[in-house]
Amino acid sequence: MNTEYSSITDTVKKKKAKIATIDQYKIVTLEHDTIYADTSLTIKSAYRQNHLRKDLFGLLEFSNIGQPLNTLQYSLTSFSPYPEIGFTGKHSNYMQADQIRYYSAATPFTELFFNTTINKGQNVDSFITLNTSKNLNFSIAYKGLRSEGDYINQLVSAGNFRFTTSYATTSRRYAINMHFANQDIMNEENGGITNVSNFESDDPDFKNRQRLQVYLTDAETLLKGRRLFFDHAFRVNPKDGNNNLYLTHQFNYEYKNYQYKQQTITSSITDNNNVTTTVNRFGDSYVASAINDETKYERLYNKVGAAYENSLLGKFNFFIDDYRSNYQYEKVIVDSLNNAIPANLYLQFNNVGGQYEYQKNKWNGRFLYSRSITNQSLSDLDAKLRYDLNEKIKFDFRYRNINKLPNNNYNLYQSSWVAYNWSHDFKNEKINSLSAEITTPWLTGQVQYTVLKDHLFFRDTSSVANVQIVTPEQYGNVINYLEIKASREFKFGPFALDNTLLYQKVDQSDLILNVPDFVTRNTFYYSNHFFKKALFIQTGIVFNYLTKYYGDDYNPVIAEFFVQQEEKIGGFATFDFFVNARIRQTRFYLKAEHLNALFSQSNYYSAPNNPYRDFVLRFGLVWNFFQ
């Protein structure tokens, strides 16, 4: 253990040990950007007090914690030219390689996170990191979520284990960041409520949400994944100088497994006249019971490169990568038209590319271009530029041009549901995006314009009531998307009003990309110190609102949102009352979510037939230790 420093919270005087400062507790991203441990209590940190540990503005949660998130702000959709397994609705709780953080700590550093959930369960996230020496750091972390939910068959159980290590020689001639992650996300799936009029009636009997009938009573999905990742670099010249030459290598092996299980095939539906009928929610099935669909996926990625760094010109990096993936099932299916649905989809291709990084005075830029040199056609152009006028005013610009291979579940899927079997060869998606952002003490503004070509999406093709037949499609026309987002906080002594407004406009021939025109969040709160500044408190009300729009529906068989044009959601407001407090390195959070649900009509939905969260009182805390 590194014993050169004593903790910043150590009250015992030591003659030789130095007192560690907060900037010696570093948190490093995959791109080697560095931030420092933060124990402050702000309204921004309060927004991140949730199971994903991030601000959820622009995302619409379902009624239970850990369920899929419906996207309100389209620019939050992340793109990569490389194909993924798909099943994107399950991946909001899945930690990707670029979300893992690496550390350097003067003394052992621990964080404990806790939040209550919906009914029975809890949400915890804890980690400890320490440096055994100045050069070597280890961290181990586990995030667990279990939430019963208010409705029938809605349990969420998830676990995310992470282990990281970072090492650098004293001269930093060699450096490596490595992590191992093991994750599992299980959701009981009820497919939504069958009779929305019961939910909206405000009948006291249906205030107990367990009395509302749902489509699926014994279905569940499970996503499991394991990943081994490391990123390392070796400086060829022995001493760090004005001119440096590096050899780089990145390795990423990942295995994923997605399962959909459903014991009972038929669903019971009771109408307003108390007449009950049965229906197969997803059409005909090859089996009479006990559906167990399983998709396996392996990916191996290697990138090797050489980088030249000049103190005046910047850093030039040239690389070649190798991508291999196998997306597979256990059998070949032949449909009624004698079309064969293959058992696997194997992909292998190579890219070459270059990246240039420049940081001088007030300018900071990173420019990347890569292109396939094998039969698969894909490319990525990503240009970022920042200008710091001063410490408080910054300008950011970004241009992105991606030629993206489809996710695997668009081109191949097998299921015990007859209509959920397909094999396609879709064209690449083309995404052009230009954005600008300004950050000032008075206003933070963002503008983004995106053009989508050959956009892939899912659609319900069923014409039978209460039956979902969701299939992939590719849109032949161009979609133009414009986003304007602005944030501003006004302060009046101990009072403050924090505002975020989002405006979106979509130009398209058909209703394919559907988002609300306006989304707003306004927080009015009071902050002050008490007991000789030993206690800091924030308390106030958060107002959220989104306009009506044809929100995407959710299908649990393929764990994807799909386009629908029949029912609008939105047009409702939520009020959350909160009291947050900080004592030393501990922050406490008490929140009454959707307070107005106690006296307003039940007409709030996250997706058609999927109600938004009712009123709930939740408690949480974040506790940091600097041993």
Side-chain angles (χ1 to χ4, degrees), residues 41-104:
L41 174 61
T42 65
I43 196 64
K44 299 295 188 292
S45 65
Y47 293 151
R48 298 192 296 269
Q49 184 68 13
N50 54 66
H51 69 290
L52 295 182
R53 309 294 302 273
K54 69 177 185 180
D55 190 345
L56 296 181
F57 180 85
L59 299 169
L60 185 59
E61 292 186 272
F62 277 45
S63 61
N64 199 11
I65 299 165
Q67 288 187 282
L69 301 171
N70 211 341
T71 302
L72 304 176
Q73 181 181 344
Y74 183 72
S75 64
L76 296 179
T77 306
S78 60
F79 294 107
S80 167
Y82 304 102
E84 300 289 343
I85 182 176
F87 312 111
T88 55
K90 292 287 291 184
H91 279 76
S92 57
N93 291 333
Y94 192 89
M95 301 185 72
Q96 306 290 354
D98 60 357
Q99 295 176 290
I100 303 297
R101 299 294 180 255
Y102 306 93
Y103 303 90
S104 177

Side-chain angles (χ1 to χ4, degrees), residues 298-455:
E298 282 187 290
R299 180 181 63 185
L300 178 64
Y301 177 78
N302 278 282
K303 181 171 74 172
V304 295
Y308 169 69
E309 182 181 47
N310 179 275
S311 58
L312 180 63
L313 299 177
K315 188 173 184 180
F316 302 84
N317 184 17
F318 301 94
F319 60 86
I320 182 170
D321 68 16
D322 179 79
Y323 175 100
R324 305 175 186 213
S325 69
N326 191 27
Y327 172 94
Q328 61 180 339
Y329 297 92
E330 299 297 330
K331 56 188 177 297
V332 174
I333 293 179
V334 179
D335 64 20
S336 58
L337 300 176
N338 290 324
N339 296 315
I341 311 299
N344 78 308
L345 177 60
Y346 179 78
L347 296 173
Q348 179 179 354
F349 51 84
N350 300 103
N351 295 306
V352 294
Q355 180 172 289
Y356 173 60
E357 299 177 44
Y358 178 81
Q359 185 171 355
K360 196 75 172 181
N361 298 326
K362 297 182 178 182
W363 293 95
N364 186 336
R366 181 180 295 161
F367 308 92
L368 167 75
Y369 180 72
S370 64
R371 188 175 184 86
S372 172
I373 56 174
T374 47
N375 293 332
Q376 297 285 357
S377 174
L378 70 156
S379 63
D380 186 12
L381 172 62
D382 190 2
K384 300 177 183 178
L385 184 64
R386 164 172 281 192
Y387 176 72
D388 297 334
L389 184 64
N390 52 48
E391 291 184 356
K392 296 182 178 181
I393 301 177
K394 306 178 189 297
F395 299 89
D396 288 277
F397 306 93
R398 185 178 187 184
Y399 174 70
R400 192 89 189 267
N401 185 315
I402 304 178
N403 187 5
K404 171 183 168 48
L405 285 170
N407 284 346
N408 290 326
N409 67 335
Y410 282 104
N411 280 333
L412 177 63
Y413 188 68
Q414 288 189 10
S415 173
S416 297
W417 296 105
V418 175
Y420 287 76
N421 291 275
W422 56 73
S423 177
H424 297 291
D425 186 18
F426 286 116
K427 294 185 291 184
N428 284 14
E429 294 183 275
K430 290 85 176 176
I431 302 110
N432 271 280
S433 179
L434 179 64
S435 63
E437 182 175 355
I438 179 173
T439 304
T440 73
W442 315 284
L443 178 74
T444 298
Q446 176 183 323
V447 177
Q448 178 168 319
Y449 180 70
T450 303
V451 179
L452 305 173
K453 295 182 180 179
D454 298 317
H455 177 64

Side-chain angles (χ1 to χ4, degrees), residues 541-561:
I541 290 182
V542 183
F543 168 79
N544 289 281
Y545 180 79
L546 67 151
T547 54
K548 284 191 173 184
Y549 76 111
Y550 289 107
D552 289 349
D553 204 344
Y554 183 71
N555 181 276
V557 177
I558 56 173
E560 295 280 3
F561 285 91

